[in-house]
């Protein structure tokens, strides 16, 4: 399956499941509150299949599987027979209306916990949070190759994904952060990462690079992928050569070559390589280069060969019972991060580049599905939680806007006027249109980049 078709398919699956579950929450509570449900539709548009239940509800599977909706009996939307009036949504006490509207986001929250439980039981494979290279701010904090990140602030980091997310979140706040690490010698120590020194425009996507951290699993092997004509290596080394030592110093990753070359300078040195099963010792002398940003430096004129990621060496995994509190903790952590991100966006402390739309969702859905069921469940859980939080925002048209109306009704003892609610609907539509426009713009810009 192509990337495009895979992205479309997994987005349909993701949104179809999550939005339908959201609507089922409304439906389930409405039925138990005595409200008559006229239609429960999985999907939109033309009905492909329909059946009317004994309760009078029409159950529909529609042609466009991008969610669903629940249509309840309501006197504001059409005539209602006097005998059915007590079952109309608008006739319900405000407490019941609040419960019905809140049930959708609550259903997504419950689904998030269930999905995370499934992820933990299956076990999500990942990479160990081991430092491969430390430069800049990371080096200034004392981090070194081989250090294992045990915690970032008060957050445990059993895998690199947890460590990267915690570091990116702290970087956006530009707050110096204490790390707990295990050094290569096996001793535990603390390091203070001076994140306040990061540039003001540091966003979540490039925070790790600006911190100066490269995880161990992203280090490239010392294999030559390209040789520049006319350089020191031209005619001496060959593509696919694996460098094993320079000037007697063994090397295991490509990033170790640069510092050794700078140490050698202009003098000749022996470069040991493996080529087609043979071990060779070749003599060459680095040549001086001048770069406007980097300045003068010594170079061989070689570029690394791209290599696949190594096998996973860590996992998030719990037994069925232990996975329950773990899922609850993870849901709380993700919810706290999501709400904090909304606060950063509203205050301008985070770039609006972090707002993503359906194109990005589709790409991540496909990518996570390719990584296996545990990663896909993790993606679905995060998307379900995001759907719950977004729907609870006090924006008219969303569930949170209706809840705001009902809370005002509770406070003042009477419903808002029809005129005020209509005005709120227009404001809500304008806000949603602006948000969707920004999301599409960011999606397209990211594709172009």
């Amino acid at each position: 399956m192509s990337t495009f078709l895979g992205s479309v398919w997994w987005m349909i699956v993701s949104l179809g499941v999550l939005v339908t579950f959201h609507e089922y929450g409304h439906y389930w509570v409405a039925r138990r509150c005595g409200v008559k449900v006229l239609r429960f539709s999985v999907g939109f548009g033309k009905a492909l299949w329909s059946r009317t239940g004994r309760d009078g509800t029409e159950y529909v599977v529609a042609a466009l599987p991008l969610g669903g909706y629940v249509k309840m009996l309501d006197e504001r939307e059409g005539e209602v027979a006097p005998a059915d009036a007590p079952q109309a949504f608008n006739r319900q006490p405000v407490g019941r209306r609040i419960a019905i509207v809140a049930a959708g986001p609550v259903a997504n929250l419950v689904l998030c916990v269930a999905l995370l439980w499934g992820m933990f039981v299956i076990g999500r494979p990942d990479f160990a949070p081991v430092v491969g290279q430390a430069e800049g701010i990371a080096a200034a904090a004392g981090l070194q190759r081989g250090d294992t990140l045990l915690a970032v602030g008060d957050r445990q980091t059993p895998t690199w994904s947890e460590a990267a997310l915690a570091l990116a979140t702290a970087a956006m706040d530009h707050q110096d952060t204490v790390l707990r690490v295990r050094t290569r010698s096996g001793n535990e120590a603390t390091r203070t990462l001076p994140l306040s020194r990061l540039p003001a425009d540091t966003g979540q996507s490039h925070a790790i690079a600006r911190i100066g951290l490269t995880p161990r699993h992203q280090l490239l092997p010392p294999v030559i992928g390209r040789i520049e004509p006319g350089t020191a290596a031209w005619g001496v080394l060959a593509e696919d050569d694996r460098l094993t030592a320079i000037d007697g110093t063994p090397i295991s990753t490509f990033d170790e070559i640069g510092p050794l070359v700078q140490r050698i300078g202009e003098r000749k040195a022996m470069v040991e390589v493996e080529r087609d099963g043979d071990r060779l010792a070749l003599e060459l002398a680095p040549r001086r280069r001048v770069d406007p940003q980097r300045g003068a430096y010594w170079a061989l004129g070689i570029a690394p060969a791209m290599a696949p990621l190594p096998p996973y060496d860590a996992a998030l995994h719990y037994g069925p019972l232990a996975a329950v509190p773990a899922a609850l903790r993870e849901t709380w952590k993700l919810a706290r991060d999501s709400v904090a991100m909304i606060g950063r966006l509203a205050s301008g402390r985070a770039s609006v580049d972090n707002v993503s739309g359906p194109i990005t969702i589709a790409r991540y859905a496909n990518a996570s599905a390719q990584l296996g069921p545990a990663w896909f469940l993790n993606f679905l859980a995060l998307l379900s939680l995001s759907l719950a939080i977004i729907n609870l925002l006090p924006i008219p048209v969303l569930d949170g806007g209706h809840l705001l109306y009902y809370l005002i009704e509770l406070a003042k003892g009477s419903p808002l006027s029809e005129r005020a609610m209509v005005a709120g609907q227009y404001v809500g539509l304008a806000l949603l249109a602006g948000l969707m426009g920004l999301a599409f713009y960011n999606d397209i810009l990211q594709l172009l980049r």
Side-chain angles (χ1 to χ4, degrees), residues 119-411:
M119 179 201 74
F120 284 129
V121 170
I122 294 173
R124 194 190 75 191
D126 209 325
F127 294 102
V130 180
V131 176
Q133 185 177 8
E135 300 174 314
I137 289 176
L143 289 173
Q144 298 179 354
R145 176 177 301 216
D147 286 350
T148 300
L149 303 180
L150 302 177
V152 176
D154 59 351
R155 294 193 176 187
Q156 304 297 312
T157 55
T159 68
W160 174 253
S161 294
E162 273 66 42
L165 181 60
L167 287 169
T169 301
M172 285 191 295
D173 292 333
H174 292 82
Q175 294 180 351
D176 295 350
T177 302
V178 176
L179 309 180
R180 186 161 57 87
V181 304
R182 183 187 300 113
T183 63
R184 294 179 67 175
S185 60
N187 299 319
E188 289 197 14
T190 58
R191 303 282 187 263
T192 300
L193 203 58
L195 299 179
S196 56
R197 290 165 45 184
L198 286 172
D201 64 342
T202 299
Q204 193 171 19
S205 60
H206 49 265
I208 303 300
R210 290 193 173 179
I211 290 172
L213 274 179
T214 302
R216 181 180 63 186
H217 62 271
Q218 289 183 1
L219 293 177
L220 293 173
V223 177
I224 298 175
R226 183 173 57 86
I227 300 176
E228 298 179 34
T231 59
W234 184 255
V236 180
L237 301 178
E239 293 182 3
D240 296 327
D241 279 355
R242 173 180 286 271
L243 281 66
T244 58
I246 295 180
D247 200 29
T249 302
I251 57 175
S252 57
T253 59
F254 199 90
D255 68 289
E256 296 173 340
I257 296 173
L260 289 174
V261 171
Q262 305 315 305
R263 190 177 71 185
I264 294 168
E266 61 182 343
R267 66 182 175 85
K268 290 184 177 181
M270 299 302 296
V271 176
E272 299 175 36
V273 303
E274 289 182 358
R275 180 185 300 172
D276 298 328
D278 297 327
R279 300 181 68 89
L280 307 175
L282 307 170
E283 187 179 64
L284 52 74
R287 295 183 184 177
R288 189 173 182 269
R289 284 184 173 182
V290 178
D291 183 84
Q293 295 182 343
R294 184 177 175 183
Y297 65 99
W298 300 97
L300 298 179
I302 59 176
M306 299 307 295
L309 288 173
Y312 291 118
D313 55 1
L316 279 179
H317 184 265
Y318 295 94
L321 293 179
V324 175
L328 292 171
R329 288 194 303 269
E330 186 70 9
T331 300
W332 168 248
K333 184 182 74 174
L334 292 173
R336 186 177 60 182
D337 288 345
S338 299
V339 172
M341 176 59 78
I342 292 173
R344 293 187 191 98
L345 289 170
S347 63
R349 290 184 293 120
S351 171
V352 293
D353 292 345
N354 291 289
V355 179
S356 301
I359 297 176
T360 299
I361 291 173
R363 292 171 61 199
Y364 275 97
N366 184 52
S368 61
Q370 304 310 313
L371 290 173
W375 277 101
F376 187 61
L377 290 178
N378 185 82
F379 167 78
L380 284 179
L382 182 57
L383 195 59
S384 185
L385 180 63
S386 299
L387 190 62
I389 292 173
I390 290 173
N391 266 283
L392 286 174
L393 293 177
I395 299 176
V397 183
L398 298 178
D399 292 335
H402 293 295
L403 290 174
L404 178 62
Y405 289 157
Y406 300 148
L407 290 175
I408 293 174
E409 181 179 340
L410 274 177

Side-chain angles (χ1 to χ4, degrees), residues 15-24 26 39-44 60 62 64-71:
L15 294 183
V17 169
L18 300 184
V19 178
T20 300
F21 204 89
H22 175 97
E23 297 301 334
Y24 183 77
H26 292 309
R39 175 179 287 186
F40 183 95
S41 178
V42 176
F44 301 100
V60 177
L64 190 60
L66 290 175
Y69 65 92
V70 171
K71 181 178 176 61

Side-chain angles (χ1 to χ4, degrees), residues 68-80:
Y69 65 92
V70 171
K71 181 178 176 61
M72 290 176 269
L73 188 68
D74 196 312
E75 292 175 313
R76 296 167 299 181
E77 298 181 4
E79 292 187 11
V80 175

